[in-house]
Amino acid sequence: MRVHANNYLLHVIVLLGALLTYPVSSFSSSTLVRLHHNQQSDRRVSQKIYVTKSYDSASSSSSQKGFFWEFQGYPCYAEVVQPFSSTNNSPWNSVLSALSTTSNFATSSKPTVILVHGFGCSTVYWRETKRYLSEAGYTIHALDLLGQGRSFKAGRSSSPPIEYSINLWGQMVDEYARRYIKRDDVVLVGNSLGSLVTLAAATGDWYDAFPEAGEKPYLPSKVQGLCFYNCGVGLNTRNVLKTVPEGFVRTILSLLFDLFDTLIFANKPLLTYLVDNQITKDALRNALTALYACADNPASRVNDELVDSFADPVINDDTEKVVEVISQIYLNDAGKTPMEFHEMYFSGKATSKEETNDDMSSSPFLPLTTNFSMGKRLTRSTQPLPIHLIWGDRDSVTPLTGDVGKFYTQLATSDTTSGDLVDVSMQVIRAGHIPFDERPECNEGLIEWLEQLQQPEKAKYQDQTTTPSSSRWPFGATAQ
């Protein structure tokens, strides 16, 4: 395994500035690949919903609402985007009416889509994905995870105290869906770290970590599919150690991680200095432009809207809160890798409660099969869970040649399911870590996959980075 130290540092530089992004409201089929297999004030709030803005784009067919809802006692930001129907062309009067409208789409054949951002990002960088989906007739919910974007930045000193984890955010996504999405067909879409959050929400994995939550997970029985844009390895980079065999190399890497974390992420005075003095709009623009290098015109994609959404909260917000969230995310337990999620929930090794004589410890899959209705779906091999990946081959943060990329590529090119209870498809394109905004055309792949979830299988796998003539996407034709 190769650890790209320079890429890791680039990630740190970008995400230090990106951690508290500020949502800005704006909007401006290729061959499907198939496989068998503001910030709020410091005070805590008691109301459930806070209207923050109303947005109806004259240049778009969609209607978008932003609002605050309460999770764990803290206000969190979300957006609802719906097609702007000719039969309902009056602006929404309130966010509450928008939310209630979502339940009225229960008869629609199109599933509701939830967008979950990656580390340090927010609803802003989904701008093109929201536009593509809404114009295709989909209702979209985009969330800012607690501690990021416009959502409240709680920490260990908050009341109640917050420990950030993949499972905390998985619970958050599940709770949001329980309150605001009254449908039985939901698709979760995640980027990078957000992909792990969707896995935690779709499987109900978070429930074991928070048994005091009371109600059992809501989403496992509702999820119709998952889509990952450049899936991450965990809450932080420490999960790469799980992919290294025991021995000298792993020991050295672990020591290097310990040293790096001690010098930077456990060093709050240094983090405070970096946030207060080194994060500028120019620095962020340069770093983001490097991440958007495969765009036809990177400078036009990394516009003021995008840069401001990354920079403003870092520059203007309470430094202590910014530092707390950054430090926790890089130092807390990294959670499960995608490979561990698949082994635990999608490997086909699940057994019934009777088969294990009620021994809950004999099968890691058992909590899912006994507690949640998704267990019934997952144990029916004729209806595997569809998982689609769209991956930029020039990604320096989660490279396709890394362990997660190799894992999903292997699934996408395998001739057999090997007993897996998932139906994986994959598209590899000429792009970096944020393909859906860097190369907006790739959102066509998401839409085509959504449209064909119930259709007969197509090709298993396609690399679209060097064969633009085989696709309506121009990837490879202009990128160098």
Side-chain angles (χ1 to χ4, degrees):
M1 186 204 73
R2 294 183 301 168
V3 176
H4 301 279
N6 57 326
N7 295 335
Y8 182 69
L9 290 173
L10 174 63
H11 192 204
V12 170
I13 291 170
V14 173
L15 295 179
L16 277 175
L19 189 59
L20 299 176
T21 55
Y22 185 90
V24 179
S25 295
S26 76
F27 289 110
S28 5
S29 221
S30 71
T31 302
L32 180 68
V33 185
R34 293 282 294 168
L35 170 79
H36 287 291
H37 311 68
N38 115 314
Q39 200 45 50
Q40 293 297 298
S41 62
D42 290 347
R43 67 178 180 86
R44 290 185 49 206
V45 290
S46 58
Q47 296 91 340
K48 295 298 182 184
I49 295 178
Y50 310 83
V51 178
T52 182
K53 60 184 173 57
S54 175
Y55 175 75
D56 293 287
S57 172
S59 61
S60 174
S61 60
S62 63
S63 182
Q64 172 174 312
K65 291 288 180 176
F67 67 101
F68 286 92
W69 65 291
E70 187 178 288
F71 173 70
Q72 299 277 349
Y74 299 106
C76 295
Y77 182 77
E79 291 176 353
V80 182
V81 186
Q82 293 183 347
F84 195 71
S85 171
S86 60
T87 61
N88 182 25
N89 55 11
S90 61
W92 293 336
N93 294 321
S94 69
V95 169
L96 286 174
S97 66
L99 293 174
S100 64
T101 301
T102 63
S103 64
N104 294 333
F105 278 71
T107 57
S108 171
S109 61
K110 296 181 183 295
T112 293
V113 178
I114 301 178
L115 303 177
V116 184
H117 63 76
F119 169 38
C121 305
S122 73
T123 60
V124 174
Y125 79 158
W126 291 115
R127 53 192 176 176
E128 296 288 355
T129 305
K130 289 183 289 186
R131 179 174 68 86
Y132 271 82
L133 286 170
S134 63
E135 290 180 356
Y138 290 88
T139 298
I140 309 107
H141 293 252
L143 312 182
D144 278 0
L145 299 175
L146 180 64
Q148 302 188 62
R150 206 170 182 178
S151 293
F152 194 86
K153 290 159 288 300
R156 295 189 179 100
S157 62
S158 303
S159 179
I162 293 296
E163 287 284 338
Y164 290 102
S165 67
I166 296 295
N167 277 329
L168 175 73
W169 290 322
Q171 180 188 21
M172 178 183 176
V173 173
D174 187 271
E175 179 62 26
Y176 178 90
R178 186 192 306 277
R179 296 188 196 180
Y180 304 121
I181 302 178
K182 307 303 180 183
R183 294 186 58 109
D184 289 328
D185 54 344
V186 178
V187 171
L188 303 179
V189 179
N191 168 234
S192 192
L193 174 150
S195 301
L196 279 298
V197 176
T198 67
L199 280 167
T203 60
D205 183 74
W206 62 266
Y207 187 70
D208 284 343
F210 303 105
E212 70 280 2
E215 293 181 283
K216 293 176 181 178
Y218 173 80
L219 274 173
S221 64
K222 313 293 183 183
V223 172
Q224 301 297 303
L226 304 174
C227 179
F228 305 149
Y229 285 95
N230 297 45
C231 183
V233 70
L235 178 68
N236 52 57
T237 317
R238 271 195 173 270
N239 258 1
V240 301
L241 294 175
K242 294 180 179 179
T243 66
V244 181
E246 293 282 356
F248 177 76
V249 174
R250 183 170 180 173
T251 299
I252 294 299
L253 288 176
S254 180
L255 290 173
L256 289 175
F257 275 117
D258 289 341
L259 177 63
F260 197 79
D261 288 344
T262 299
L263 292 176
I264 296 182
F265 297 109
N267 188 344
K268 291 190 176 180
L270 175 59
L271 280 179
T272 299
Y273 172 80
L274 291 174
V275 170
D276 283 342
N277 298 282
Q278 300 300 312
I279 304 303
T280 66
K281 289 187 178 182
D282 286 341
L284 286 170
R285 187 182 300 274
N286 292 336
L288 287 167
T289 301
L291 290 180
Y292 278 61
C294 291
D296 288 340
N297 185 345
S300 67
R301 297 304 305 153
V302 184
N303 55 16
D304 290 340
E305 173 196 49
L306 186 68
V307 174
D308 289 345
S309 74
F310 281 86
D312 287 350
V314 177
I315 294 173
N316 302 325
D317 200 17
D318 187 332
T319 300
E320 183 178 357
K321 289 187 174 67
V322 177
V323 169
E324 166 73 8
V325 178
I326 294 174
S327 179
Q328 274 208 42
I329 290 177
Y330 267 97
L331 297 178
N332 285 2
D333 183 81
K336 292 181 177 65
T337 66
M339 293 75 81
E340 288 173 321
F341 271 106
H342 277 257
E343 175 67 20
M344 186 169 185
Y345 295 106
F346 306 133
S347 66
K349 298 177 181 178
T351 55
S352 69
K353 187 174 182 180
E354 293 77 13
E355 290 173 321
T356 58
N357 296 318
D358 297 338
D359 180 3
M360 295 295 289
S361 64
S362 62
S363 171
F365 190 91
L366 196 56
L368 184 68
T369 59
T370 56
N371 288 339
F372 320 133
S373 56
M374 185 179 180
K376 298 177 181 178
R377 170 220 288 277
L378 292 179
T379 54
R380 290 161 51 195
S381 60
T382 57
Q383 293 185 0
L385 179 69
I387 298 179
H388 186 58
L389 294 103
I390 301 177
W391 208 299
D393 71 331
R394 301 300 176 91
D395 185 4
S396 61
V397 179
T398 58
L400 185 64
T401 56
D403 292 282
V404 178
K406 289 179 180 178
F407 171 74
Y408 280 114
T409 300
Q410 182 177 9
L411 285 180
T413 55
S414 175
D415 290 332
T416 62
T417 64
S418 300
D420 282 357
L421 300 172
V422 289
D423 181 6
V424 178
S425 56
M426 190 172 190
Q427 291 164 310
V428 179
I429 64 175
R430 181 59 52 83
H433 190 59
I434 311 173
F436 48 89
D437 193 49
E438 180 188 29
R439 304 290 303 186
E441 307 96 315
C442 76
N443 290 293
E444 296 175 7
L446 168 60
I447 293 170
E448 187 169 349
W449 172 73
L450 287 169
E451 297 290 337
Q452 298 189 22
L453 278 178
Q454 305 302 320
Q455 300 300 316
E457 77 177 60
K458 304 295 182 181
K460 292 180 180 181
Y461 173 90
Q462 184 175 347
D463 184 333
Q464 296 173 308
T465 62
T466 58
T467 56
S469 60
S470 66
S471 169
R472 283 177 287 141
W473 301 355
F475 304 122
T478 58
Q480 299 298 320

